[in-house]
Amino acid sequence: MTKEEFLFHLQGASLVALKFAENYVKNKLTTDFKYNVILNASTDDPNLPQFDIYPEDTGKMQLDLSDNEVVDLLYRKGKVPVWIDINVLKSSRKSTTFNLLCAGRYSDNKEEFYYNHNGSGPFGIKSPKLPVGYKEGSKFKLK
């Protein structure tokens, strides 16, 4: 996957995640996107030879990044995390912020990407964090 392809997948997944979140939230979500990236959210066996693993990323988070900054952070030696869960976190008048929860395993093999079968590469679209007591079909306000 090239950097351009990864950026394309990130932008596409962001739009789909925004549209999905609109089913749950009352907030008006804008298309000026920001990202919080949680690195190495998986427990990985360092002996898996087909992956690059960065144990130094454990516990690290990067906040308020642009899409290009996300690509610069996650695109390493032509490889990207094999799964990246994306969901809307918060909304302001100016921007919509997403959480990107990333696997610690990096690959350049599209067959290794968890969500490749649905055309989103490594990106898995998730709902916003549902509040305690959430009732199906109701909408809530993001904080």
Side-chain angles (χ1 to χ4, degrees):
M1 174 175 295
T2 66
K3 276 184 124 172
E4 293 76 19
E5 289 171 320
F6 185 57
L7 177 61
F8 176 80
H9 281 295
L10 171 62
Q11 292 169 337
S14 300
L15 287 171
V16 173
L18 178 138
K19 289 297 179 192
F20 186 53
E22 287 176 339
N23 295 312
Y24 294 91
V25 302
K26 295 178 181 178
N27 307 63
K28 179 174 175 9
L29 302 175
T30 69
T31 55
D32 180 11
F33 298 150
K34 297 290 180 191
Y35 301 90
N36 292 346
V37 180
I38 299 100
L39 298 165
N40 204 10
S42 55
T43 305
D44 301 305
D45 181 351
N47 297 316
L48 296 172
Q50 73 269 38
F51 300 112
D52 288 354
I53 297 175
Y54 300 91
E56 66 275 11
D57 284 348
T58 301
K60 290 189 179 174
M61 186 183 291
Q62 297 285 323
L63 304 177
D64 207 32
L65 301 179
S66 69
D67 55 4
N68 285 308
E69 289 171 323
V70 169
V71 171
D72 288 342
L73 175 66
L74 296 179
Y75 191 85
R76 300 176 180 181
K77 298 190 284 184
K79 299 179 179 185
V80 297
V82 295
W83 57 260
I84 303 169
D85 290 346
I86 181 171
N87 69 291
V88 170
L89 174 67
K90 63 183 179 179
S91 174
S92 71
R93 280 188 256 189
K94 293 184 180 183
S95 64
T96 298
T97 302
F98 296 91
N99 256 350
L100 299 179
L101 186 67
C102 303
R105 298 180 307 282
Y106 284 66
S107 179
D108 57 1
N109 180 352
K110 291 178 184 177
E111 298 303 314
E112 298 281 359
F113 299 158
Y114 279 43
Y115 304 104
N116 197 50
H117 63 279
N118 65 13
S120 61
F123 291 95
I125 312 303
K126 307 299 179 187
S127 73
K129 184 176 179 187
L130 303 176
V132 174
Y134 173 76
K135 292 191 181 3
E136 188 68 37
S138 63
K139 290 190 176 188
F140 60 92
K141 216 159 178 34
L142 292 170
K143 298 191 187 230

